[in-house]
Amino acid sequence: MRIAAFEVRDDEREAFAAEAERVGVDVDLHAEPLTEGNAHLADGCEGVSTLGQSHLDAALLEALAQRDVKVVATRTIGYNHIDLDAAKRLGIVALNADYAPNGVAEYTVMFILLVLRNYKPALWRGQVYDFSLQGLQGRELRNLTVGVMGTGRIGATVIECLTGFGCRILAYDPHPKAKVAEHAEYVDLDTLYANSDVITLHMPLLDSTYHIINRESIARMKDGVVLVNCARGELMDLDALIDNIEAEKIGGLGLDTVETEGDLIHRDRRTDILTNRGIAYLRQFPNVVMTQHMAFYTDAAVHSMVSCSVDGIKSVLQTGGFRTRLV
Ligand code: NAD
């Protein structure tokens, strides 16, 4: 059995080699994203593994089906880059990754604290030997209300982590969970917006969640609200964020993902002329902390992402089933 893996980073190679040997498959490793132009690299492979920059739309899935690829496995939890309807129509099984939610949850808590304690301007000042305090006074979580939107695996773990800080926790999810309700109070969105000092997003990017944070929803939030996004950039309208940071309606942002990040993500673009004006403008504010979509990036998660895709492809081809099957 042969698998073609795309978007393979150097730090994944060892895990791929170990997992291929463990489950007894051959894996071809390619650094570039999978496109229609290089789909021939999947010739002779029954499964392909990608990250999020390979846009598995209907045309690309068609090209894979013609090459007898039977399973596509993304090494990400998010799967908004896969056309699931087209996969189903073409008889291709799609899998996503399954790794512990702790890495992203801990990163989210770190972001909340960094923004509340004005870490970014403090870091800037320290680098030029300015050790003044003026303008850096922070807030303590125990006096604040945190709203968690999306209480699946990551959102629920964020809530567990936050219980140690003594803050009030509100939650919103169309599918509330009894275990989460032990630590957080489920409320409707209007109540969450009106009462939260910090709001953090942990839902998937769907047609129904695209730009869920927009001018209208921000207007319903408290003045000075801190927003955190470690889920998907397109959940938040970038222009609305900029306008509301300028208007000081938003008091701080912690963004691991941001709309229009697609051609920047995980790439060294230092010497390129970039056109992502929104990102360039937003990142210069002292109360906006942005990172390069790396909340997932821990030793444990990388190993699980690779293992899940190789093991998942093999299991589907042998038995038809795997725990992270999407279609
Ligand atoms: P999950 O499927 O376990 O949970 C998602 C939750 O969102 C579910 O409980 C669902 O009911 C809820 N939901 C759906 N629509 C909603 C809405 N309109 N409002 C509120 N909640 C809604 O997923 P997860 O493992 O917790 O991951 C959440 C998201 O985090 C993923 O979809 C992915 O996009 C993102 N993610 C980002 C990184 C990163 O590195 N930044 C890493 C992993 C995952």
Side-chain angles (χ1 to χ4, degrees):
M1 186 182 300
R2 183 169 284 279
I3 293 171
F6 294 84
E7 300 179 67
V8 176
R9 298 184 311 266
D10 287 347
D11 60 272
E12 293 181 305
R13 288 180 178 267
E14 209 179 301
F16 265 113
E19 192 60 16
E21 191 178 329
R22 191 182 71 79
V23 304
V25 297
D26 294 316
V27 187
D28 300 333
L29 303 182
H30 305 285
E32 63 268 40
L34 173 61
T35 63
E36 276 184 84
N38 65 14
H40 62 274
L41 294 172
D43 283 343
C45 297
E46 290 171 278
V48 301
S49 163
T50 74
L51 287 170
Q53 297 309 303
S54 301
H55 300 290
L56 293 147
D57 56 16
L60 179 50
L61 288 166
E62 181 85 46
L64 294 176
Q66 281 167 8
R67 293 178 156 83
D68 286 333
V69 170
K70 296 183 178 60
V71 190
V72 295
T74 178
R75 305 193 294 286
T76 56
I77 289 181
Y79 50 85
N80 46 289
H81 54 294
I82 307 177
D83 184 337
L84 295 182
D85 291 337
K88 194 170 184 178
R89 180 167 44 77
L90 292 161
I92 293 180
V93 173
L95 306 174
N96 68 337
D98 176 13
Y99 53 87
N102 303 66
V104 180
E106 289 174 14
Y107 203 90
T108 301
V109 174
M110 177 188 78
F111 256 169
I112 294 173
L113 295 170
L114 288 180
V115 177
L116 287 175
R117 300 307 298 269
N118 295 306
Y119 176 72
K120 184 175 171 185
L123 179 72
W124 282 349
R125 284 188 204 180
Q127 283 168 343
V128 294
Y129 284 75
D130 173 356
F131 302 116
S132 62
L133 288 177
Q134 196 259 330
L136 298 184
Q137 193 173 80
R139 287 181 285 169
E140 297 182 24
L141 260 177
R142 70 190 166 98
N143 298 321
L144 302 178
T145 298
V146 180
V148 178
M149 291 171 63
T151 59
R153 298 179 72 230
I154 296 171
T157 310
V158 168
I159 288 170
E160 265 176 50
C161 294
L162 286 174
T163 54
F165 289 92
C167 48
R168 180 182 178 212
I169 307 173
L170 302 179
Y172 170 78
D173 195 301
H175 306 286
K177 283 107 189 149
K179 186 137 184 13
V180 171
E182 291 171 16
H183 303 295
E185 184 188 340
Y186 276 109
V187 292
D188 59 34
L189 263 189
D190 268 336
T191 307
L192 185 143
Y193 288 153
N195 292 284
S196 299
D197 301 288
V198 176
I199 296 177
T200 179
L201 266 55
H202 301 287
M203 73 276 273
L205 175 62
L206 307 166
D207 287 346
S208 59
T209 58
Y210 174 79
H211 279 191
I212 192 164
I213 301 300
N214 53 38
R215 285 189 170 74
E216 192 265 326
S217 52
I218 293 168
R220 290 191 270 154
M221 296 175 190
K222 284 177 94 162
D223 290 346
V225 65
V226 168
L227 300 180
V228 172
N229 187 0
C230 290
R232 282 292 178 269
E234 294 85 349
L235 295 172
M236 294 181 160
D237 176 346
L238 178 56
D239 291 332
L241 295 182
I242 291 171
D243 288 351
N244 281 282
I245 280 281
E246 284 181 337
E248 299 185 28
K249 169 73 184 179
I250 295 177
L253 287 170
L255 304 177
D256 184 51
T257 66
V258 62
E259 192 174 27
T260 77
E261 73 185 357
D263 60 346
L264 306 177
I265 201 164
H266 304 163
R267 296 173 61 192
D268 181 350
R269 308 254 356 229
R270 271 178 291 187
T271 55
D272 297 340
I273 302 295
L274 299 176
T275 55
N276 311 63
R277 293 185 190 192
I279 290 181
Y281 184 63
L282 189 58
R283 67 178 310 119
Q284 48 84 31
F285 290 100
N287 53 350
V288 176
V289 181
M290 287 166 74
T291 52
Q292 52 265 53
H293 203 134
M294 58 177 279
F296 72 95
Y297 195 46
T298 66
D299 51 355
V302 168
H303 192 272
S304 298
M305 290 159 94
V306 170
S307 153
C308 194
S309 78
V310 174
D311 195 21
I313 291 170
K314 172 145 187 209
S315 299
V316 168
L317 291 171
Q318 277 190 338
T319 66
F322 196 64
R323 62 184 184 278
T324 65
R325 185 174 174 142
L326 296 165
V327 289

